[in-house]
Amino acid sequence: MTTVEPAIGDAFGDVLRECWDAGAEAGHTFEVIERDDGLLLLADAARYFAGANPWSTHEAAILPLATGRVLDIGCGAGRHLAALGDRCQPEGIDPSPGAVQVCRARGLAARVADIDHLPAGAHGKDAYDTLLLFGNNLGLLGSPEAAPGRLAGLAAVAAPGARILGSTTDPYATTNPLHLRYHQRNREHGRPAGQLRLRVRHQAIATPWFDYWWTSVAELEQVLAGSPWRLSAIERDPGNAGRYAAVLMLR
Amino acid sequence: MTTVEPAIGDAFGDVLRECWDAGAEAGHTFEVIERDDGLLLLADAARYFAGANPWSTHEAAILPLATGRVLDIGCGAGRHLAALGDRCQPEGIDPSPGAVQVCRARGLAARVADIDHLPAGAHGKDAYDTLLLFGNNLGLLGSPEAAPGRLAGLAAVAAPGARILGSTTDPYATTNPLHLRYHQRNREHGRPAGQLRLRVRHQAIATPWFDYWWTSVAELEQVLAGSPWRLSAIERDPGNAGRYAAVLMLR
């Protein structure tokens, strides 16, 4: 059997740059997300450049709560930065140098960093009032093991009264046998059903594997218990039972 | 490191069926071809249903030579069967049960078989006058080792005066560093530059790996020497220096 090992690199950034270079139009560049059971998910990269209108309504419903100093964590090509630019000066971080490059080419403030390496010096008056984890990025809490440290890290750069605005997907809302088998495999290994291991592939490049954790509302509340954050509101996507946005308040 | 092993199955057939079920329209279903260096190639599956017009001009130029009893080898969703149906009753074979299912749903004659298992009983008056290897399917000659046996097998089901109408791509026409590195790796392993090892992936399913051999005209002539076939004509794609169609005559 042939062993396939794509070279490790900034596949996500490569996708965004290719899409941006092609005018960010739909139908040109597709992102391939690979799950560690071999599942390939394809999606048009143009969605990373979409304006506010095509967004999921559950995210749009809570976006007005983004106020003050805003940090978009995992900002991608900057669609949320662009949407917020009218009323504040949001900053974005993304571990992908290519993503940051695209944001800057679009005139958006972004730098290379990630949820485990949040911008330093964000203390006191430089602290953030809003931490954005849209686009399913509540999944960046990573795992039951990683989540407490990440929630504490987010609190460390947050101003009093700060909010996390995030979105994710309830993994239990699916009836897709592929996903149900994946859940079962997770359970057999002592992991929550919605524990995902993913990487992005593009051409002959793949990102490193990363953990992404989809949680039900109950699981989210459980991981928030004892953290510096409390669940303040839930907004469900009327078009997709599993998808929801959450507002978390700093305690 | 996580080992990714998709389940083995009829990923190609799954792609075609999904595309067919969605009306065979562009922009809905994408085929993922994986090369064994980790390269992923994405292409719209709707091309497998395209009528004669969007075809490569080099194939269209020699299609009128398809006469008598026609066998389309690797017929996919049957685009060539459909185009030839007006003037003869072509038959198709494909190793993919899903592809054959789609052909039949379209009213086209196809069955599950492949270049190593050509339809039995095609002797004497049942022999084929035209063997079609379009869509780069001259690559199904497989490798320098496999090609002589396959060329003999094709001759065994061919009527006197039969032709192979095929197309392929000259691997040396590229300047893409990814492909040049792949060629170099092949050479280091004693293989011709255009030796490809591929599989199709869809959702969590992959086909088995298969060998596909892209040849220059010189390499094609070399493999034909001593075979029952001789090169009769070459038609190049004016839009793509590497792509060409070839007419082979039974000696």
Side-chain angles (χ1 to χ4, degrees):
Chain A
M1 194 172 67
T2 308
T3 301
V4 173
E5 270 317 312
I8 302 301
D10 183 16
F12 181 61
D14 291 350
V15 169
L16 296 182
R17 286 192 303 186
E18 183 177 309
C19 189
W20 174 245
D21 289 345
E25 296 199 354
H28 181 275
T29 309
F30 291 82
E31 182 190 28
V32 179
I33 299 173
E34 186 173 35
R35 198 168 66 181
D36 69 346
D37 59 344
L39 178 66
L40 296 184
L41 299 161
L42 276 62
D44 197 313
R47 75 190 188 286
Y48 287 108
F49 297 88
N53 279 339
W55 288 7
S56 309
T57 51
H58 57 300
E59 291 180 343
I62 66 168
L63 189 66
L65 297 175
T67 53
R69 289 198 70 209
V70 177
L71 181 66
D72 185 358
I73 297 161
C75 61
R79 65 179 158 176
H80 304 115
L81 296 175
L84 287 167
D86 289 342
R87 63 166 201 262
C88 61
Q89 294 183 324
E91 302 165 30
I93 59 169
D94 202 286
S96 159
V100 168
Q101 194 179 333
V102 168
C103 284
R104 290 180 177 171
R106 301 177 72 195
L108 304 168
R111 59 186 128 165
V112 175
D114 62 38
I115 194 167
D116 288 324
H117 305 85
L118 293 168
H123 311 298
K125 70 177 172 54
D126 290 335
Y128 295 101
D129 302 293
T130 304
L131 299 161
L132 215 58
L133 287 164
F134 271 3
N136 268 328
N137 272 349
L138 276 177
L140 292 176
L141 295 178
S143 66
E145 295 72 31
R150 290 182 176 165
L151 288 165
L154 292 165
V157 299
R163 291 185 183 94
I164 293 173
L165 306 180
S167 63
T168 187
T169 300
D170 180 343
Y172 306 99
T174 189
T175 56
N176 184 327
L178 270 176
H179 300 326
L180 296 178
R181 276 200 297 276
Y182 192 75
H183 295 177
Q184 184 55 31
R185 195 182 74 151
N186 273 333
R187 284 193 203 92
E188 288 164 5
H189 289 80
R191 295 192 288 257
Q195 182 73 65
L196 306 174
R197 180 157 272 236
L198 306 173
R199 63 180 179 182
V200 176
R201 291 180 66 170
H202 186 64
Q203 299 276 357
I205 303 291
T207 65
W209 292 100
F210 59 93
D211 289 325
Y212 209 71
W213 181 26
W214 281 7
T215 50
S216 67
V217 174
E219 287 170 326
L220 182 60
E221 286 190 299
Q222 198 173 356
V223 78
L224 291 176
S227 87
W229 303 92
R230 65 177 173 82
L231 184 59
S232 161
I234 290 289
E235 190 78 35
R236 293 185 190 277
D237 181 347
N240 181 324
R243 303 181 71 176
Y244 66 93
V247 181
L248 314 184
M249 293 287 296
L250 191 60
R251 291 180 200 270
Chain B
M1 193 174 67
T2 308
T3 299
V4 173
E5 269 317 311
I8 302 301
D10 183 15
F12 181 60
D14 291 349
V15 169
L16 295 182
R17 285 191 305 184
E18 182 177 311
C19 189
W20 174 246
D21 289 345
E25 295 199 356
H28 181 274
T29 310
F30 289 81
E31 182 190 28
V32 179
I33 299 173
E34 185 173 35
R35 200 169 65 182
D36 70 345
D37 60 343
L39 178 66
L40 295 185
L41 299 161
L42 276 61
D44 197 313
R47 75 190 188 286
Y48 287 109
F49 296 87
N53 279 339
W55 288 8
S56 310
T57 51
H58 59 299
E59 291 180 344
I62 66 168
L63 189 66
L65 297 175
T67 54
R69 290 197 69 209
V70 178
L71 181 66
D72 185 357
I73 297 161
C75 61
R79 65 179 157 175
H80 305 115
L81 295 175
L84 286 167
D86 289 342
R87 64 167 202 263
C88 60
Q89 294 183 322
E91 302 164 32
I93 59 170
D94 203 287
S96 158
V100 168
Q101 193 179 334
V102 168
C103 285
R104 289 181 177 171
R106 301 177 72 196
L108 304 167
R111 58 187 130 166
V112 176
D114 63 38
I115 194 168
D116 288 323
H117 305 86
L118 293 168
H123 310 298
K125 69 178 174 53
D126 290 334
Y128 295 102
D129 302 293
T130 304
L131 298 161
L132 216 58
L133 287 164
F134 270 4
N136 269 327
N137 271 350
L138 277 175
L140 292 175
L141 294 178
S143 66
E145 296 73 31
R150 290 182 176 166
L151 288 165
L154 292 165
V157 299
R163 291 183 181 95
I164 292 173
L165 306 181
S167 63
T168 188
T169 300
D170 180 344
Y172 306 99
T174 188
T175 56
N176 183 328
L178 270 177
H179 300 325
L180 296 177
R181 276 200 298 276
Y182 192 76
H183 295 177
Q184 184 55 33
R185 196 182 73 150
N186 272 334
R187 283 192 203 90
E188 288 165 5
H189 289 81
R191 295 192 288 256
Q195 183 72 65
L196 306 174
R197 181 158 271 237
L198 307 173
R199 65 179 177 181
V200 176
R201 291 181 66 170
H202 185 64
Q203 300 276 356
I205 302 291
T207 65
W209 291 99
F210 59 92
D211 289 326
Y212 210 70
W213 181 26
W214 281 8
T215 49
S216 67
V217 174
E219 288 170 325
L220 181 61
E221 286 189 300
Q222 199 172 355
V223 78
L224 291 176
S227 87
W229 303 92
R230 65 178 174 81
L231 184 59
S232 162
I234 290 288
E235 190 79 33
R236 293 184 189 277
D237 181 348
N240 180 324
R243 303 181 71 177
Y244 66 93
V247 181
L248 314 184
M249 294 286 297
L250 191 61
R251 291 182 199 268

